[in-house]
Amino acid sequence: MKKFFAIALGILTAIGGFVDIGDLVANGLVGARFGMSLAWVVLVGIVGICVFAEMSGRVAAVSGRATFDLIRERLGPRVGLLNLAASMAVTLLTYTAEIGGVALALELATSVNPYLWIPVVGAAVWLVLWRVRFSVLENAFGLAGLALIVFAVALWQLGPDWSALWESASRPSLPDGESRAVYFYYAIALFGAAMTPYEVFFFSSGGVEEGWTAKDLGTMRANVFIGFPLGGLLSLAIAATAAVTFFPQSIEVDTLGQLGLPVGLALGKLGIAFLLLGFFAATFGAACETGLSVGYSIAQYFGWQWGKFVEPLRAARFHTVVLLSTIVGVGVLLTTVDPIMLTEYSIVFSAVALPLTYFPILVVANDRTYMGDHANGRLANTLGTIYLFIVGVAAVAAIPLMVLTRAGQ
Amino acid sequence: MSDGHLDLVLRVLDHQIVGPRRELVGKVDDLELSWTADAFVVTGLVVGPGGLSQRLPGRLGAWVGAVWRRLSTGSEPQPVVVPTTQVTDLGSPVELTEAAVEALQRSFGLERWLRRYVVGRIPGAKGGDHDEALDSGDGPATPTMSRADLTEPPVRPPAPGAQWLSALLGAPVLDEDGHRLGDLIELHTGIGNERWTLTHLQVTHSPLGTELGYHADPHQGPALLRRAFRHLQRHDVLVPVGEITEIRTEPARVVVTRSGARRHPHHDATAPRPG
């Protein structure tokens, strides 16, 4: 019974923790502008993150090595450092966007200017990373993030024409006035949001933090194969509410408040309360995950002691990196850059960095010297190879499409 | 340490180093190789920025080296070498003895500086597992007597006359006529009697992706990558260490005898591999 609750808790936190500011913004924006015609990308992204999160989690459980350990080990110090620089630039950008997202959520709740909130949020995130136990951090924000289910409830309350929604999702077509380049630019943004590299950095390092062994593979797989797809359904629900409310009127979504409007329309005050809790938990939780990921990855490259399973004094370099990245994130936001725009850039650059992360994972998950019987089977390898190709195409196409469409204008 | 066969670049270089209680104490940033009377052996693991800085390109390497020197105590900082006798297990991580771990932790200038001046000053830096020895910022300053009695210290400066693995990797391998066999990418080692003896050099025409492991396990998936790397590495050969006639660094160059039955690593019948 205890084990059942442990698994259920893991799944619930995986659902609640799946959505972050990138998913919120990308799905709302795309739903309003393209209806459900890009829903297939979300599905492709979810299968992809499941494939690679399972691989990285399996390697972490069996060998005790998190993702950046493997990158250094298999790519050497030079290519590894190049990879570290690129991945950390993207993760730091995402961290900054998440802190901005928390401030925007608090602005919605309080009407206090977000620039007053940003330093407070930065300090709060750092305090959580400094003192709060790993399991508490993961469970609390994951569970609170489940409040985003209001999007699914709101969608049902809005009473959309389900067959039309299904029609536009299953037979994707280009909406009037949109070019093919813009369509594929947003496809890459959605894909990048679903497969952000920090998710595997955090997932594998979290496995090491919690001391997974080969015995925990079942729990890990339940989290990945049940939790992530259900989290992905939440993303689709967000896109669908925007598609139902804004798409027919050709209204573009560019604030977090607009994104929540359908929930307010359908469910009133109570819905808004849940929505604000969900926004806050999802972005705050993701801020913690990205902040830790920066520290994890740099420490793993150099071999430093890292993790919240030791007292901060024993991992001084790791905690200094976390502190510095928080200061950088807050500093960038205080230049009055728009956090929503920052989010859009972070998910597109995520797509560029994807192959750097996923290639070494695929290779090591095949190393039978470490992995023994837990090495990749035929299915994991087939899917892994296909996805390596897909992320390769997305990575190459991302920047040219960004230039060509002037970032989706 | 169990006896067996080891590919140095694939299985040791750049791997995580851990202590008996799974403490994380750095990476194998380089390996120290020495000629003894009868063999070419691995004598130590180079750990820390002193080793890493020499493997990073140009100005970046110089910068990492400069930070390391600035944060080191003593007038002439030397890179830290852990003798291979301190290695207790080789898996995915390299595990060291308690004595070596303590000595390594004392050598981390940046960690000690940050502990003392940054992290240690923030309230709440000490957790439930706090060890009073850390309060001074670094732990015990001098090794205890019992450790000083050991014949070989747990860490030491680089041995004079020794070569570092990274200085040889990528070196052209020539035979006595000056005919180029390819570039050195891997050193195969036999472990026995606590000694890591080099047995073969692996030489390739395409140095791409040599740390990925496809040369070691002919069945490693996924199929597409296996085929691609098999194709790239199809002309790889193993050269027995006994055939070396000259090894030079700056510029690195290895000269071997002309004759010899050389085979592809996948046809390696004499050295059974783990897994």
Side-chain angles (χ1 to χ4, degrees):
Chain A
M1 207 53 195
K2 206 174 157 196
K3 180 150 188 191
F4 173 80
F5 277 119
I7 293 176
L9 181 68
I11 292 171
L12 289 178
T13 49
I15 302 171
F18 185 83
V19 175
D20 70 348
I21 185 77
D23 296 292
L24 285 168
V25 169
N27 282 287
L29 212 106
V30 163
R33 195 158 162 184
F34 298 92
M36 293 306 281
S37 64
L38 278 166
W40 60 273
V41 178
V42 178
L43 295 183
V44 173
I46 292 167
V47 175
I49 191 66
C50 286
V51 168
F52 283 102
E54 193 271 340
M55 260 185 235
S56 71
R58 181 153 38 90
V59 174
V62 175
S63 73
R65 304 265 68 82
T67 300
F68 241 96
D69 256 353
L70 309 175
I71 291 179
R72 164 81 191 267
E73 176 186 313
R74 291 305 160 118
L75 301 180
R78 287 178 176 225
V79 181
L81 191 65
L82 207 69
N83 195 331
L84 183 72
S87 305
M88 285 313 97
V90 172
T91 308
L92 196 56
L93 192 64
T94 315
Y95 185 33
T96 308
E98 307 286 355
I99 294 177
V102 181
L104 291 180
L106 289 171
E107 184 204 11
L108 281 181
T110 61
S111 299
V112 172
N113 187 299
Y115 295 104
L116 287 176
W117 277 120
I118 285 165
V120 178
V121 172
V125 170
W126 174 78
L127 209 64
V128 168
L129 299 185
W130 176 251
R131 277 311 285 173
V132 177
R133 273 222 316 275
F134 184 85
S135 54
V136 174
L137 173 164
E138 201 183 24
N139 295 338
F141 293 109
L143 287 179
L146 277 178
L148 286 177
I149 286 180
V150 283
F151 275 103
V153 179
L155 180 65
W156 177 64
Q157 277 288 314
L158 286 169
D161 180 352
W162 292 101
S163 66
L165 270 187
W166 171 248
E167 181 81 3
S168 77
S170 60
R171 289 198 186 74
S173 64
L174 212 56
D176 297 336
E178 297 288 3
S179 76
R180 204 162 283 274
V182 173
Y183 181 83
F184 282 108
Y185 175 73
Y186 279 105
I188 286 174
L190 265 186
F191 187 65
M195 288 194 71
T196 354
Y198 86 80
E199 292 176 67
V200 291
F201 298 148
F202 179 75
F203 191 68
S204 61
S205 306
V208 177
E209 290 257 20
E210 295 187 332
W212 285 350
T213 62
K215 278 188 205 133
D216 300 302
L217 284 177
T219 317
M220 185 275 287
R221 288 199 173 113
N223 291 355
V224 171
F225 293 134
I226 305 174
F228 283 15
L230 289 178
L233 276 186
L234 276 187
S235 299
L236 280 180
I238 295 167
T241 54
V244 170
T245 318
F246 304 114
F247 181 60
Q249 270 82 37
S250 310
I251 301 170
E252 284 202 24
V253 167
D254 45 21
T255 67
L256 214 52
Q258 277 179 304
L259 189 63
L261 201 62
V263 175
L265 286 176
L267 301 170
K269 267 190 185 165
L270 192 61
I272 297 279
F274 271 97
L275 176 84
L276 292 175
L277 175 65
F279 275 171
F280 174 78
T283 49
F284 201 99
C288 294
E289 295 184 5
T290 44
L292 283 175
S293 294
V294 175
Y296 286 153
S297 305
I298 293 178
Q300 284 161 14
Y301 172 86
F302 288 104
W304 301 341
Q305 178 69 56
W306 54 269
K308 295 186 54 55
F309 56 94
V310 294
E311 59 176 345
L313 203 57
R314 285 175 189 275
R317 289 167 291 190
F318 166 74
H319 278 284
T320 308
V321 169
V322 171
L323 177 62
L324 284 180
S325 26
T326 311
I327 293 171
V328 169
V330 169
V332 168
L333 286 167
L334 288 180
T335 63
T336 70
V337 62
D338 176 16
I340 300 288
M341 190 199 74
L342 218 55
T343 307
E344 290 176 37
Y345 282 109
S346 80
I347 54 185
V348 175
F349 286 124
S350 285
V352 179
L354 286 179
L356 299 175
T357 310
Y358 293 129
F359 175 71
I361 294 177
L362 180 62
V363 171
V364 175
N366 273 291
D367 190 324
R368 289 175 301 163
T369 315
Y370 304 164
M371 301 297 294
D373 296 340
H374 299 293
N376 268 3
R378 192 166 291 219
L379 180 66
N381 270 338
T382 309
L383 287 172
T385 310
I386 293 171
Y387 270 91
L388 205 58
F389 179 74
I390 298 177
V391 295
V393 171
V396 171
I399 300 289
L401 279 177
M402 183 179 236
V403 174
L404 205 67
T405 62
R406 290 189 295 154
Q409 299 286 304
Chain B
M1 272 303 313
S2 55
D3 296 356
H5 173 101
L6 198 63
D7 297 348
L8 283 187
V9 176
L10 177 63
R11 296 291 170 216
V12 187
L13 190 63
D14 289 319
H15 280 240
Q16 181 68 44
I17 299 175
V18 300
R21 289 187 299 276
R22 312 316 276 177
E23 312 95 310
L24 304 167
V25 283
K27 295 275 178 188
V28 181
D29 288 310
D30 215 326
L31 288 158
E32 187 191 72
L33 315 173
S34 309
W35 285 98
T36 63
D38 55 337
F40 196 20
V41 293
V42 183
T43 44
L45 320 176
V46 185
V47 185
L52 178 65
S53 63
Q54 307 195 15
R55 294 179 67 202
L56 294 174
R59 194 169 287 186
L60 184 69
W63 185 73
V64 171
V67 171
W68 163 68
R69 268 187 292 278
R70 183 68 190 83
L71 290 169
S72 301
T73 47
S75 53
E76 271 183 47
Q78 297 264 2
V80 179
V81 178
V82 182
T84 47
T85 45
Q86 300 290 331
V87 176
T88 53
D89 191 26
L90 274 172
S92 163
V94 176
E95 195 179 316
L96 300 182
T97 60
E98 184 77 50
V101 168
E102 279 177 16
L104 270 182
Q105 282 171 339
R106 273 194 299 277
S107 77
F108 295 149
L110 181 61
E111 174 82 14
R112 289 170 55 172
W113 190 87
L114 290 172
R115 231 176 240 175
R116 186 171 300 188
Y117 295 108
V118 183
V119 173
R121 298 196 171 181
I122 305 173
K126 294 167 195 170
D129 59 344
H130 181 61
D131 174 2
E132 297 297 323
L134 288 173
D135 282 345
S136 61
D138 45 55
T142 46
T144 49
M145 274 312 288
S146 62
R147 293 201 185 94
D149 291 341
L150 291 173
T151 46
E152 193 180 25
V155 304
R156 57 173 170 78
Q163 278 164 331
W164 283 10
L165 173 62
S166 66
L168 294 177
L169 285 181
V173 178
L174 312 166
D175 68 16
E176 285 159 326
D177 298 338
H179 172 72
R180 187 181 169 128
L181 297 176
D183 297 334
L184 180 64
I185 49 153
E186 177 69 278
L187 293 174
H188 295 252
T189 308
I191 297 183
N193 299 326
E194 303 244 313
R195 232 159 71 122
W196 302 19
T197 313
L198 294 162
T199 56
H200 293 87
L201 312 178
Q202 184 170 340
V203 178
T204 189
H205 286 291
S206 71
L208 189 72
T210 48
E211 281 192 74
L212 298 176
Y214 289 94
H215 66 76
D217 178 0
H219 304 293
Q220 177 173 309
L224 199 67
L225 293 178
R226 175 170 63 229
R227 276 200 205 118
F229 283 106
R230 260 196 151 163
H231 181 76
L232 285 172
Q233 296 161 355
R234 67 193 180 283
H235 296 307
D236 284 18
V237 285
L238 290 177
V239 179
V241 165
E243 292 181 15
I244 298 176
T245 57
E246 184 196 354
I247 286 197
R248 265 214 324 240
T249 48
E250 293 179 42
R253 200 168 79 124
V254 181
V255 180
V256 299
T257 57
R258 186 161 9 103
S259 64
R262 280 158 197 153
R263 57 184 194 275
H264 191 273
H266 288 174
H267 301 132
D268 193 348
T270 53
R273 284 155 203 287

